[in-house]
Amino acid sequence: MQKARLVVLAALVVGVVTLAALPAGAHVSISPSSAPKGGFEVLSFNVPNEAPDANTIKLEVQIPTKYPIASVSTQPMAGWTVEVQKTTLSKPVATDDGDVTEAVSRITWTATAGGLNPGEFDLFTISAGPLPTKPNKLTFKAIQTYSNGDVVNWIQQTVKGAPEPEHPAPTLTLTAAGSDHH
Amino acid sequence: MQKARLVVLAALVVGVVTLAALPAGAHVSISPSSAPKGGFEVLSFNVPNEAPDANTIKLEVQIPTKYPIASVSTQPMAGWTVEVQKTTLSKPVATDDGDVTEAVSRITWTATAGGLNPGEFDLFTISAGPLPTKPNKLTFKAIQTYSNGDVVNWIQQTVKGAPEPEHPAPTLTLTAAGSDHH
């Protein structure tokens, strides 16, 4: 009995260790993965098409507004249209162009030429700044829609020390202002 | 006679020194040139068109499979089609999406709109990961085909301490896992 328990425990431990050692699958991620607080940055959402027989036809990214980013713009992308949604801020952000009272809260890219095929990835790129100075991380939830109707919600929080979730939300680490993050 | 010899010798010496001082020609290279072991990375093959009167119409890149990369995808590229060849692995790679039994071994980009003109370059971009954890370098042999039939094999090994070969294979340096490689 005691021995059987030990065997089960050992098996569990081995299982956990094996899980932790497994390489992660391809995820929707942000490149670069870190940027200085207060700076302007070009950020690319790296989106893999993981379906063997469907195309990625839509990507929606939620821009965090708890610590709003006054200026967010999108890079034109052949084969995709982009729709930008703004939200009114409860607390305006002071900038050198005056108070900013609304901020981009959602960006939706929609394919006009078939989207991403199996085996492809693409970069969906924005320019954003000034990045907030307070939090150490910004989470950009992303929703990926496939041509077969499948929707993948990349919205799970990554908890330090815990195993990586299956569909982590893309996260940008904010480094000390002026630090060389590259 | 003696003087003439000296002049010839001097000319030779100057010639050799000049050659040695010449900047290395543009090569097919990988950007970034280094990336952390175990990570996912967007890698661009930077391909210069070095012919004065011919276009680059095809690029073939061999993905190393001795230490296989479970996930390799390609970025769509206007004016080029891409063909991906896979190979069955003798030893499967464990990932959190299950065992991977085959890996991308060759990617061929073929121009559909004329390719690269003289004086142009372009980036042929893939997303790849997890990068292997064992070797300190990965070599991606590349074969560049011109519209006049010329083929340049970028397959030579770079040996530390030795002069750079004429057509080095693009090489990615793998850094310690989690290190800031930028």
Side-chain angles (χ1 to χ4, degrees), chain A residues 36-67:
Chain A
K37 292 176 179 181
F40 278 75
E41 197 76 18
V42 174
L43 301 172
S44 292
F45 296 93
N46 179 345
V47 177
N49 188 96
E50 297 186 296
D53 47 12
N55 284 15
T56 295
I57 56 167
K58 194 162 88 166
L59 177 74
E60 181 189 312
V61 173
Q62 295 171 26
I63 309 295
T65 54
K66 186 178 174 189
Y67 301 99

Tab-separated table of all heavy atoms in Angstrom, chain A residues 36-67:
chain	number	residue	atom	x	y	z
A	36	PRO	N	11.083	49.446	-23.241
A	36	PRO	CA	11.223	50.346	-22.089
A	36	PRO	C	9.930	51.097	-21.780
A	36	PRO	O	9.214	51.522	-22.692
A	36	PRO	CB	12.317	51.336	-22.539
A	36	PRO	CG	12.894	50.792	-23.793
A	36	PRO	CD	11.865	49.908	-24.408
A	37	LYS	N	9.666	51.251	-20.507
A	37	LYS	CA	8.549	52.071	-20.051
A	37	LYS	C	8.693	53.490	-20.619
A	37	LYS	O	9.789	54.036	-20.662
A	37	LYS	CB	8.552	52.140	-18.522
A	37	LYS	CG	8.231	50.817	-17.853
A	37	LYS	CD	8.329	50.902	-16.334
A	37	LYS	CE	7.962	49.537	-15.734
A	37	LYS	NZ	8.013	49.525	-14.272
A	38	GLY	N	7.577	54.058	-21.035
A	38	GLY	CA	7.596	55.448	-21.490
A	38	GLY	C	8.010	55.633	-22.933
A	38	GLY	O	7.918	56.737	-23.472
A	39	GLY	N	8.466	54.556	-23.580
A	39	GLY	CA	8.965	54.701	-24.936
A	39	GLY	C	7.913	54.442	-25.998
A	39	GLY	O	6.799	54.012	-25.711
A	40	PHE	N	8.278	54.745	-27.247
A	40	PHE	CA	7.480	54.359	-28.402
A	40	PHE	C	8.108	53.098	-28.974
A	40	PHE	O	9.335	52.996	-29.028
A	40	PHE	CB	7.477	55.465	-29.460
A	40	PHE	CG	6.478	56.543	-29.172
A	40	PHE	CD1	6.707	57.482	-28.178
A	40	PHE	CD2	5.295	56.607	-29.884
A	40	PHE	CE1	5.777	58.468	-27.894
A	40	PHE	CE2	4.350	57.590	-29.610
A	40	PHE	CZ	4.593	58.526	-28.616
A	41	GLU	N	7.270	52.184	-29.420
A	41	GLU	CA	7.825	50.916	-29.881
A	41	GLU	C	7.020	50.387	-31.072
A	41	GLU	O	5.803	50.565	-31.130
A	41	GLU	CB	7.772	49.884	-28.741
A	41	GLU	CG	8.661	48.687	-28.935
A	41	GLU	CD	10.133	48.986	-28.665
A	41	GLU	OE1	10.435	50.007	-27.998
A	41	GLU	OE2	10.972	48.207	-29.113
A	42	VAL	N	7.710	49.767	-32.003
A	42	VAL	CA	7.037	48.999	-33.047
A	42	VAL	C	6.874	47.580	-32.513
A	42	VAL	O	7.851	46.938	-32.126
A	42	VAL	CB	7.855	48.992	-34.359
A	42	VAL	CG1	7.220	48.066	-35.389
A	42	VAL	CG2	7.960	50.410	-34.915
A	43	LEU	N	5.638	47.116	-32.440
A	43	LEU	CA	5.337	45.798	-31.870
A	43	LEU	C	4.670	44.935	-32.933
A	43	LEU	O	3.710	45.369	-33.576
A	43	LEU	CB	4.390	45.940	-30.677
A	43	LEU	CG	4.867	46.807	-29.510
A	43	LEU	CD1	3.731	47.002	-28.493
A	43	LEU	CD2	6.076	46.179	-28.834
A	44	SER	N	5.171	43.732	-33.101
A	44	SER	CA	4.568	42.811	-34.069
A	44	SER	C	3.931	41.638	-33.356
A	44	SER	O	4.570	41.007	-32.506
A	44	SER	CB	5.631	42.286	-35.041
A	44	SER	OG	6.098	43.320	-35.870
A	45	PHE	N	2.695	41.350	-33.699
A	45	PHE	CA	2.052	40.134	-33.210
A	45	PHE	C	2.361	39.025	-34.208
A	45	PHE	O	1.986	39.105	-35.381
A	45	PHE	CB	0.542	40.346	-33.044
A	45	PHE	CG	0.235	41.379	-31.999
A	45	PHE	CD1	0.066	42.709	-32.333
A	45	PHE	CD2	0.183	41.018	-30.659
A	45	PHE	CE1	-0.165	43.671	-31.353
A	45	PHE	CE2	-0.042	41.970	-29.676
A	45	PHE	CZ	-0.215	43.313	-30.027
A	46	ASN	N	3.082	38.025	-33.725
A	46	ASN	CA	3.498	36.891	-34.550
A	46	ASN	C	2.404	35.826	-34.450
A	46	ASN	O	2.179	35.263	-33.392
A	46	ASN	CB	4.839	36.381	-34.007
A	46	ASN	CG	5.360	35.197	-34.778
A	46	ASN	OD1	4.628	34.563	-35.554
A	46	ASN	ND2	6.627	34.875	-34.584
A	47	VAL	N	1.719	35.590	-35.567
A	47	VAL	CA	0.556	34.697	-35.558
A	47	VAL	C	0.830	33.476	-36.433
A	47	VAL	O	0.960	33.603	-37.651
A	47	VAL	CB	-0.706	35.432	-36.071
A	47	VAL	CG1	-1.900	34.493	-36.126
A	47	VAL	CG2	-1.001	36.640	-35.189
A	48	PRO	N	0.940	32.279	-35.818
A	48	PRO	CA	1.117	31.064	-36.607
A	48	PRO	C	-0.233	30.486	-37.007
A	48	PRO	O	-1.201	30.564	-36.247
A	48	PRO	CB	1.806	30.112	-35.616
A	48	PRO	CG	1.278	30.530	-34.267
A	48	PRO	CD	0.962	32.009	-34.355
A	49	ASN	N	-0.310	29.942	-38.220
A	49	ASN	CA	-1.504	29.188	-38.605
A	49	ASN	C	-1.257	27.741	-38.219
A	49	ASN	O	-0.444	27.050	-38.843
A	49	ASN	CB	-1.774	29.309	-40.108
A	49	ASN	CG	-3.108	28.697	-40.467
A	49	ASN	OD1	-4.103	29.387	-40.570
A	49	ASN	ND2	-3.146	27.382	-40.644
A	50	GLU	N	-1.954	27.275	-37.201
A	50	GLU	CA	-1.666	25.937	-36.680
A	50	GLU	C	-2.632	24.866	-37.177
A	50	GLU	O	-2.476	23.700	-36.827
A	50	GLU	CB	-1.663	25.977	-35.149
A	50	GLU	CG	-0.570	26.892	-34.605
A	50	GLU	CD	-0.472	26.835	-33.099
A	50	GLU	OE1	-1.440	27.237	-32.424
A	50	GLU	OE2	0.571	26.396	-32.599
A	51	ALA	N	-3.634	25.269	-37.946
A	51	ALA	CA	-4.593	24.281	-38.448
A	51	ALA	C	-4.022	23.600	-39.686
A	51	ALA	O	-3.404	24.237	-40.525
A	51	ALA	CB	-5.913	24.960	-38.785
A	52	PRO	N	-4.213	22.265	-39.809
A	52	PRO	CA	-3.663	21.576	-40.981
A	52	PRO	C	-4.467	21.843	-42.250
A	52	PRO	O	-3.976	21.657	-43.355
A	52	PRO	CB	-3.743	20.097	-40.591
A	52	PRO	CG	-4.805	20.011	-39.563
A	52	PRO	CD	-4.843	21.335	-38.848
A	53	ASP	N	-5.737	22.272	-42.086
A	53	ASP	CA	-6.591	22.374	-43.273
A	53	ASP	C	-7.555	23.560	-43.202
A	53	ASP	O	-8.663	23.512	-43.728
A	53	ASP	CB	-7.374	21.067	-43.462
A	53	ASP	CG	-8.011	20.622	-42.143
A	53	ASP	OD1	-8.035	21.434	-41.190
A	53	ASP	OD2	-8.470	19.468	-42.068
A	54	ALA	N	-7.144	24.624	-42.524
A	54	ALA	CA	-7.964	25.840	-42.488
A	54	ALA	C	-7.047	27.050	-42.476
A	54	ALA	O	-5.882	26.939	-42.069
A	54	ALA	CB	-8.870	25.845	-41.260
A	55	ASN	N	-7.576	28.178	-42.938
A	55	ASN	CA	-6.782	29.407	-42.978
A	55	ASN	C	-7.131	30.317	-41.800
A	55	ASN	O	-8.269	30.312	-41.320
A	55	ASN	CB	-7.067	30.165	-44.281
A	55	ASN	CG	-6.383	29.528	-45.472
A	55	ASN	OD1	-5.934	28.383	-45.396
A	55	ASN	ND2	-6.304	30.255	-46.567
A	56	THR	N	-6.161	31.105	-41.365
A	56	THR	CA	-6.450	32.164	-40.394
A	56	THR	C	-7.002	33.345	-41.187
A	56	THR	O	-6.331	33.869	-42.085
A	56	THR	CB	-5.167	32.581	-39.647
A	56	THR	OG1	-4.725	31.467	-38.871
A	56	THR	CG2	-5.431	33.771	-38.736
A	57	ILE	N	-8.243	33.738	-40.859
A	57	ILE	CA	-8.878	34.792	-41.667
A	57	ILE	C	-9.145	36.072	-40.866
A	57	ILE	O	-9.520	37.080	-41.440
A	57	ILE	CB	-10.205	34.292	-42.292
A	57	ILE	CG1	-11.148	33.779	-41.193
A	57	ILE	CG2	-9.928	33.203	-43.335
A	57	ILE	CD1	-12.562	33.574	-41.689
A	58	LYS	N	-8.938	36.000	-39.542
A	58	LYS	CA	-9.184	37.198	-38.738
A	58	LYS	C	-8.328	37.161	-37.479
A	58	LYS	O	-8.101	36.094	-36.902
A	58	LYS	CB	-10.665	37.283	-38.360
A	58	LYS	CG	-11.073	38.647	-37.818
A	58	LYS	CD	-12.577	38.856	-37.861
A	58	LYS	CE	-13.228	38.327	-36.602
A	58	LYS	NZ	-14.621	38.803	-36.467
A	59	LEU	N	-7.838	38.334	-37.089
A	59	LEU	CA	-7.124	38.470	-35.823
A	59	LEU	C	-7.641	39.710	-35.120
A	59	LEU	O	-7.660	40.799	-35.700
A	59	LEU	CB	-5.613	38.620	-36.047
A	59	LEU	CG	-4.820	38.830	-34.737
A	59	LEU	CD1	-4.721	37.533	-33.950
A	59	LEU	CD2	-3.431	39.403	-35.014
A	60	GLU	N	-8.051	39.506	-33.874
A	60	GLU	CA	-8.504	40.643	-33.065
A	60	GLU	C	-7.553	40.769	-31.886
A	60	GLU	O	-7.300	39.790	-31.186
A	60	GLU	CB	-9.929	40.362	-32.588
A	60	GLU	CG	-10.529	41.474	-31.757
A	60	GLU	CD	-11.864	41.024	-31.149
A	60	GLU	OE1	-12.710	40.480	-31.881
A	60	GLU	OE2	-12.031	41.212	-29.931
A	61	VAL	N	-7.023	41.968	-31.673
A	61	VAL	CA	-6.113	42.200	-30.548
A	61	VAL	C	-6.717	43.261	-29.646
A	61	VAL	O	-7.145	44.322	-30.118
A	61	VAL	CB	-4.715	42.639	-31.032
A	61	VAL	CG1	-3.836	43.046	-29.842
A	61	VAL	CG2	-4.042	41.523	-31.813
A	62	GLN	N	-6.783	42.957	-28.360
A	62	GLN	CA	-7.296	43.923	-27.385
A	62	GLN	C	-6.125	44.702	-26.795
A	62	GLN	O	-5.215	44.126	-26.215
A	62	GLN	CB	-8.092	43.198	-26.302
A	62	GLN	CG	-9.346	42.541	-26.880
A	62	GLN	CD	-10.050	41.641	-25.883
A	62	GLN	OE1	-9.935	41.821	-24.681
A	62	GLN	NE2	-10.787	40.664	-26.405
A	63	ILE	N	-6.162	46.011	-26.989
A	63	ILE	CA	-5.095	46.874	-26.473
A	63	ILE	C	-5.486	47.266	-25.049
A	63	ILE	O	-6.584	47.782	-24.832
A	63	ILE	CB	-4.953	48.151	-27.342
A	63	ILE	CG1	-4.845	47.787	-28.825
A	63	ILE	CG2	-3.771	48.995	-26.876
A	63	ILE	CD1	-3.620	47.018	-29.209
A	64	PRO	N	-4.597	47.021	-24.063
A	64	PRO	CA	-4.989	47.313	-22.677
A	64	PRO	C	-5.194	48.816	-22.474
A	64	PRO	O	-4.437	49.633	-22.995
A	64	PRO	CB	-3.794	46.800	-21.858
A	64	PRO	CG	-2.656	46.722	-22.810
A	64	PRO	CD	-3.233	46.480	-24.169
A	65	THR	N	-6.258	49.164	-21.730
A	65	THR	CA	-6.552	50.590	-21.510
A	65	THR	C	-6.543	50.965	-20.037
A	65	THR	O	-6.838	52.103	-19.695
A	65	THR	CB	-7.922	50.967	-22.125
A	65	THR	OG1	-8.907	50.073	-21.597
A	65	THR	CG2	-7.901	50.887	-23.628
A	66	LYS	N	-6.212	50.022	-19.166
A	66	LYS	CA	-6.115	50.371	-17.746
A	66	LYS	C	-5.001	51.404	-17.575
A	66	LYS	O	-5.149	52.393	-16.870
A	66	LYS	CB	-5.819	49.120	-16.906
A	66	LYS	CG	-5.849	49.397	-15.427
A	66	LYS	CD	-5.603	48.147	-14.592
A	66	LYS	CE	-5.505	48.514	-13.117
A	66	LYS	NZ	-5.055	47.357	-12.312
A	67	TYR	N	-3.882	51.153	-18.236
A	67	TYR	CA	-2.801	52.134	-18.351
A	67	TYR	C	-2.731	52.481	-19.838
A	67	TYR	O	-2.017	51.840	-20.592
A	67	TYR	CB	-1.484	51.545	-17.863
A	67	TYR	CG	-1.539	51.090	-16.420
A	67	TYR	CD1	-1.738	49.753	-16.106
A	67	TYR	CD2	-1.406	52.012	-15.389
A	67	TYR	CE1	-1.797	49.346	-14.782
A	67	TYR	CE2	-1.472	51.602	-14.061
A	67	TYR	CZ	-1.662	50.274	-13.759
A	67	TYR	OH	-1.729	49.865	-12.457
